[in-house]
Amino acid sequence: MLYALILAGGKGTRLYPLSREENPKQFLKVINNKSFLRNTVDRIKPLVDKENIYIVTNENYIEKVYEELPEIKKENVYAEPVNKETATCIGLSAIKLLKKDNDAVMMVLPSDHHVEGKKEFIDTLKQGVDVVQRRRGLVTIGIPPTRPETGYGYIQMGEKITSVNSTYKVERFVEKPNIEVAKDFLLAENYLWNSGMFIWRADSFLREMEKYLPKMYKSLMTIYQYLGTEKEEEIIREQYDLIDGISVDFGIMTKNPKGLCS
């Protein structure tokens, strides 16, 4: 089954001073008098039932999430005791979804994006889901660059994998370049902005984590054994103390030869 996981635990430092730690970007009502988080949920409702929309956030923001999204069941909101970067929060969510559904497919979406062209966005996500179900790879959603941008990471597209959909193997991920390199990427026409949106099966993601982040994987498997028990929260806290946080891009995607982009 298809699930949406929305990442809503960030402190919103990029939008300072509008965004502050006590009220980060995902909760700001900058566009159409709705928060970024609210717009993210509304945007994906044509593709995912609300019962299958999950939010992962920091304990400090859980009440704000409840207030902002009253239609989302409270058990669909996962709270981290501390922020340990995206690989960790996605991993925690993956084991929780896997406990519920052995065939869980996860769309991982930041909560602070503004997206125009909603039909094209949904069509791109559908395409990514289709690729994941057929090939079981890890898909990154790329955005064609419109300018030389130094604030975003890039994806170099490799070989096209299908004649039907615009899906490519990932040649490499490139972190935020300087302006001259960004200009070269724009001219090359085989680079995309890395949107930070991903699609994969929960079990496929965890297999890659086992390869590239074995210590984190071990901690998550310890947590997995206690999910649904009285000790779940205690064990999560214990294991989070042991985890060295890292972004999913650095921890897994840059090392993974099975990466795809749509």
Side-chain angles (χ1 to χ4, degrees), residues 196-240:
M197 295 183 278
F198 307 99
I199 305 171
W200 46 56
R201 285 178 58 99
D203 54 3
S204 297
F205 174 75
L206 290 167
R207 277 195 293 272
E208 298 307 308
M209 177 178 279
E210 185 178 13
K211 291 179 192 173
Y212 303 116
L213 298 172
K215 290 182 179 178
M216 184 181 293
Y217 176 82
K218 183 179 179 181
S219 285
L220 290 173
M221 288 300 101
T222 299
I223 294 171
Y224 182 82
Q225 296 174 37
Y226 289 92
L227 292 179
T229 73
E230 293 180 355
K231 296 190 69 175
E232 176 180 334
E233 189 173 325
E234 175 190 341
I235 297 300
I236 289 175
R237 290 183 182 279
E238 286 179 0
Q239 294 303 316
Y240 260 65

Side-chain angles (χ1 to χ4, degrees), residues 182-199:
K183 288 177 180 178
D184 289 343
F185 288 172
L186 191 64
L187 292 172
E189 297 185 343
N190 65 334
Y191 285 85
L192 302 171
W193 286 334
N194 182 358
S195 71
M197 295 183 278
F198 307 99
I199 305 171

